[in-house]
Amino acid sequence: MSQKGNSCLIVLVLFLAMASCGPENSEEVQAPLSEEELIRVMHDSRTDYYNNKDITSLMNTYSESAVVLSGTLQVASGSEAIEDLIGEEMAQSRGIQNNLRQTLLFSNQAVLWGVYEWSGMSADGNGEIVTEGPYILELLKEDGSWKVAREMWTQDSEISGSVEWDVIPEDFVEDSEWSDEMDSLARLYNRRDPTLLADFFSEDALVGMPNHPVVEGRPGVEVFFENHFNNTTDVNLDVSVRSENVLDEENVILTGYLKTDTAGGSQVEGRSRFLLLLELSNPFEVAAGEDAEWQIRWMIASGQSLFAF
């Protein structure tokens, strides 16, 4: 073969070698995960840690100042208390499934809505418990990693009597500066007009009440309270806001207590802890100098009873 032929052959071999390596190399180069994808990975790993009873790895997903608000009203603040609470529950567990439904990002914070199903033995070991319902996670980005700053869940049906319930404090003092917004919720409830009350919730609201399936959307909220009002009389609502987490100018997380009692407060009907996401409903009007109006986008309440049917 001539020298020219040899040169052509070498070029052809190099070209084919480069062509065969190209697609393989391109598959090895992966784009970095988005923040929402990183949150999903962290969220799903928590479920794996729980089901594998790996309390050490699970605790590493919490921030140092994290707070857990359980569906049976226990409160655990800080690593040691959370490990005691979750560790005891984990020991009784036969497994949990967590289905993340929505993620909202706010700079170095995020809020997650999902639903869970948990099964395990009762505290006395005499029976099996299956419970399910919605949960909310508040996340904080620390040193490049997403951590759980607060979590809360409730159940959509009654739990067996063998479950131990904590007690909600009866003092409604030291209210937050956001109390005025939540007083509007109480006033609308006490007018017993389900349409007006539903207007306090966003069009795509998600509401988890104790012992009731998740209520979705403003029409669903209206039906919920219409059924409630048709089956109760002379019941008033009192709201106490105990803490707030301002996510940005148009979104804030509030926690506190709800109490329903008969007119005059002669008998308490229900007491519950709540965690909710408020969103600004009219940002354009506020920018023009009008008063702010807020609506509930997500809400979870936990307790043995609250709104009777």
Side-chain angles (χ1 to χ4, degrees):
M1 184 180 291
S2 67
Q3 184 175 356
K4 180 177 180 181
N6 287 336
S7 300
C8 291
L9 179 59
I10 292 173
V11 171
L12 178 61
V13 170
L14 289 173
F15 175 79
L16 292 174
M18 293 174 63
S20 64
C21 292
E24 183 177 336
N25 289 339
S26 65
E27 290 178 0
E28 292 177 357
V29 178
Q30 296 181 353
L33 296 178
S34 67
E35 293 299 335
E36 190 165 342
E37 289 171 331
L38 290 171
I39 288 172
R40 166 71 71 174
V41 170
M42 185 275 286
H43 172 276
D44 292 348
S45 69
R46 283 169 47 85
T47 303
D48 293 337
Y49 297 149
Y50 188 97
N51 288 331
N52 292 329
K53 301 188 184 301
D54 185 352
I55 189 66
T56 301
S57 296
L58 181 61
M59 290 306 303
N60 287 335
T61 67
Y62 289 97
S63 67
E64 290 186 3
S65 58
V67 177
V68 172
L69 308 173
S70 81
T72 49
L73 303 178
Q74 282 88 353
V75 179
S77 180
S79 299
E80 184 175 347
I82 292 174
E83 185 168 352
D84 288 343
L85 175 65
I86 301 298
E88 181 178 350
E89 178 191 279
M90 184 183 291
Q92 301 169 3
S93 171
R94 291 187 174 176
I96 189 171
Q97 297 178 16
N98 292 313
N99 183 3
L100 177 58
R101 296 285 182 84
Q102 292 190 40
T103 299
L104 302 177
L105 288 169
F106 302 94
S107 184
N108 67 332
Q109 297 188 78
V111 187
L112 281 55
W113 174 282
V115 294
Y116 74 92
E117 180 178 316
W118 182 92
S119 63
M121 297 300 296
S122 60
D124 57 16
N126 293 326
E128 183 172 349
I129 298 173
V130 177
T131 179
E132 57 187 352
Y135 61 87
I136 290 178
L137 299 181
E138 291 178 67
L139 306 184
L140 183 64
K141 197 168 189 181
E142 297 180 341
D143 300 324
S145 298
W146 288 101
K147 303 284 187 178
V148 176
R150 180 163 51 193
E151 70 174 309
M152 181 174 174
W153 65 88
T154 191
Q155 65 286 336
D156 61 15
S157 60
E158 291 189 21
I159 310 177
S160 67
S162 61
V163 172
E164 296 182 5
W165 288 84
D166 209 340
V167 178
I168 294 178
E170 296 188 9
D171 60 308
F172 280 12
V173 296
E174 300 179 3
D175 277 357
S176 157
E177 63 182 18
W178 288 85
S179 293
D180 289 345
E181 280 70 23
M182 294 310 294
D183 284 345
S184 298
L185 174 65
R187 287 194 297 270
L188 290 169
Y189 175 93
N190 295 334
R191 291 178 64 177
R192 302 181 65 82
D193 186 328
T195 302
L196 290 178
L197 181 55
D199 283 340
F200 196 72
F201 293 78
S202 67
E203 188 64 36
D204 57 351
L206 294 170
V207 182
M209 298 293 184
N211 306 330
H212 193 280
V214 172
V215 179
E216 300 190 28
R218 185 180 296 149
V221 172
E222 181 174 351
V223 171
F224 174 89
F225 283 109
E226 182 177 15
N227 292 335
H228 167 62
F229 291 145
N230 287 339
N231 287 276
T232 58
T233 58
D234 299 325
V235 176
N236 293 326
L237 177 68
D238 188 17
V239 183
S240 174
V241 179
R242 309 309 291 270
S243 69
E244 68 281 336
N245 174 22
V246 179
L247 302 167
D248 61 17
E249 293 181 350
E250 299 179 8
N251 295 271
V252 60
I253 290 277
L254 302 179
T255 61
Y257 306 124
L258 302 171
K259 181 179 72 173
T260 52
D261 57 33
T262 57
S266 59
Q267 180 179 349
V268 174
E269 298 291 324
R271 194 183 296 273
S272 179
R273 179 179 289 112
F274 73 82
L275 184 153
L276 59 83
L277 172 64
L278 277 181
E279 64 177 1
L280 196 62
S281 63
N282 61 341
F284 297 107
E285 286 81 353
V286 172
E290 299 294 333
D291 291 337
E293 292 182 2
W294 297 84
Q295 290 180 327
I296 297 173
R297 180 169 182 176
W298 294 349
M299 177 175 178
I300 282 182
S302 62
Q304 288 177 279
S305 62
L306 183 63
F307 298 118
F309 284 92

